[in-house]
């Protein structure tokens, strides 16, 4: 309360909203806690996230427009400026552009309930990545642009089946590296 400079009511309200996100839990006679995470929980949430992203990508391709395709190419171009460098970049810079690219891929989906469900799992996945890369402004990574370029080409061409297959493979690879990183840091 003193540290944050707020009264108890706004703090409780904020913690209650975090319960809805799955990041915090409430236990009687104990209070609020950050949820315990395990490899099994992370895998379950990440695979759920992947399945929702695949459904959203499929629907986005079915509802494709020239404006959406242009937005994908714009996001890919911005990402290419980071990923095509011969030098390494900080994780946070890459993450922001990567997130924009992936968000644009599914932005043409019209099913609001599906999008809300995806946002829930996106919050969890983002949290896992921030745990793995807690010093994300200083962490230097090497990137590869070819997979994102191929994914954009498949989406623009309307090849939903192959695009979804590549996106699933791409996201499962991210899960693999995330788990390795969390194990290295003794978080799981």
């Amino acid at each position: 309360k003193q540290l944050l400079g707020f009264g108890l009511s706004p703090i409780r309200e904020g913690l209650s909203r975090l319960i809805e996100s799955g990041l915090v839990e409430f236990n009687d006679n104990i209070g609020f806690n950050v949820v315990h995470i395990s490899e099994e929980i992370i895998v379950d949430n990440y695979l759920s996230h992947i399945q929702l992203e695949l459904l959203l990508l499929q629907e986005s391709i079915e509802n494709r427009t020239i404006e959406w395709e242009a937005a994908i190419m714009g996001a890919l171009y911005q990402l290419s400026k980071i990923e095509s460098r011969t030098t390494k970049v900080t994780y946070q810079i890459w993450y922001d552009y990567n997130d924009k690219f992936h968000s644009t891929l599914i932005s043409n989906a019209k099913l609001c309930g599906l999008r809300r469900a995806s946002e829930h799992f996106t919050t969890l996945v983002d949290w896992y990545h921030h745990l793995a890369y807690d010093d994300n402004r200083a962490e230097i990574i090497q990137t590869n642009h070819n997979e994102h370029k191929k994914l954009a080409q498949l989406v623009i061409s309307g090849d939903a089946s192959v695009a979804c297959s590549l996106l699933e493979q791409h996201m499962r690879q991210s899960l693999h590296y995330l788990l390795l990183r969390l194990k290295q840091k003794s978080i799981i």
Side-chain angles (χ1 to χ4, degrees), residues 1-25:
K1 178 178 160 180
Q2 291 174 358
L3 176 67
L4 298 175
F6 296 109
L8 288 179
S9 292
I11 293 171
R12 281 190 193 109
E13 176 65 25
L15 289 168
S16 295
R17 289 184 184 191
L18 285 172
I19 289 172
E20 294 171 19
S21 72
L23 301 176
V24 171
E25 62 187 4

Side-chain angles (χ1 to χ4, degrees), residues 62-113:
E62 289 171 6
N63 296 319
R64 58 200 276 196
T65 63
I66 292 171
E67 295 80 12
W68 173 67
E69 292 175 0
I72 291 170
M73 295 310 295
L76 178 67
Y77 176 77
Q78 290 175 334
L79 185 58
S80 77
K81 292 300 183 183
I82 301 299
E83 291 185 332
S84 297
R85 293 180 179 174
T86 55
T87 59
K88 295 179 180 182
V89 297
T90 64
Y91 178 80
Q92 186 62 54
I93 290 172
W94 171 82
Y95 188 85
D96 292 343
Y97 285 101
N98 182 65
D99 183 57
K100 181 177 181 181
F101 173 73
H102 282 273
S103 296
T104 304
L105 287 177
I106 62 170
S107 66
N108 209 38
K110 306 297 183 219
L111 293 174
C112 295

Side-chain angles (χ1 to χ4, degrees), residues 5 55 79 81 134-135 176:
L55 290 170
L79 185 58
K81 292 300 183 183
D134 59 339
D135 194 12
H176 171 75

Side-chain angles (χ1 to χ4, degrees), residues 152-166:
Q153 290 170 342
L154 290 167
V155 169
I156 298 296
S157 74
D159 195 341
S161 175
V162 178
C164 286
S165 178
L166 180 59

Side-chain angles (χ1 to χ4, degrees), residues 9-176:
S9 292
I11 293 171
R12 281 190 193 109
E13 176 65 25
L15 289 168
S16 295
R17 289 184 184 191
L18 285 172
I19 289 172
E20 294 171 19
S21 72
L23 301 176
V24 171
E25 62 187 4
F26 179 80
N27 296 306
D28 290 332
N29 300 321
I30 296 174
F32 295 96
N33 296 11
V34 175
V35 296
H36 170 75
I37 61 171
S38 66
E39 183 172 352
E40 294 77 24
I41 291 170
I42 292 170
V43 168
D44 182 74
N45 286 332
Y46 214 105
L47 293 178
S48 297
H49 174 64
I50 290 171
Q51 291 306 309
L52 289 167
E53 295 290 301
L54 295 175
L55 290 170
L56 289 166
L57 180 61
Q58 175 76 36
E59 188 192 355
S60 288
I61 292 171
E62 289 171 6
N63 296 319
R64 58 200 276 196
T65 63
I66 292 171
E67 295 80 12
W68 173 67
E69 292 175 0
I72 291 170
M73 295 310 295
L76 178 67
Y77 176 77
Q78 290 175 334
L79 185 58
S80 77
K81 292 300 183 183
I82 301 299
E83 291 185 332
S84 297
R85 293 180 179 174
T86 55
T87 59
K88 295 179 180 182
V89 297
T90 64
Y91 178 80
Q92 186 62 54
I93 290 172
W94 171 82
Y95 188 85
D96 292 343
Y97 285 101
N98 182 65
D99 183 57
K100 181 177 181 181
F101 173 73
H102 282 273
S103 296
T104 304
L105 287 177
I106 62 170
S107 66
N108 209 38
K110 306 297 183 219
L111 293 174
C112 295
L114 196 58
R115 291 173 67 99
R116 279 192 303 274
S118 177
E119 288 169 7
H120 167 74
F121 286 103
T122 298
T123 299
L124 293 173
V125 167
D126 285 350
W127 181 49
Y128 301 148
H129 281 278
H130 283 87
L131 286 172
Y133 295 91
D134 59 339
D135 194 12
N136 58 18
R137 298 212 185 274
E139 182 86 24
I140 305 295
I141 61 168
Q142 183 71 47
T143 61
N144 180 343
H145 187 65
N146 293 333
E147 218 168 82
H148 287 125
K149 183 178 176 183
K150 180 68 175 167
L151 183 56
Q153 290 170 342
L154 290 167
V155 169
I156 298 296
S157 74
D159 195 341
S161 175
V162 178
C164 286
S165 178
L166 180 59
L167 179 60
E168 181 175 11
Q169 175 187 343
H170 177 75
M171 293 179 77
R172 283 180 178 269
Q173 184 178 24
S174 293
L175 171 59
H176 171 75

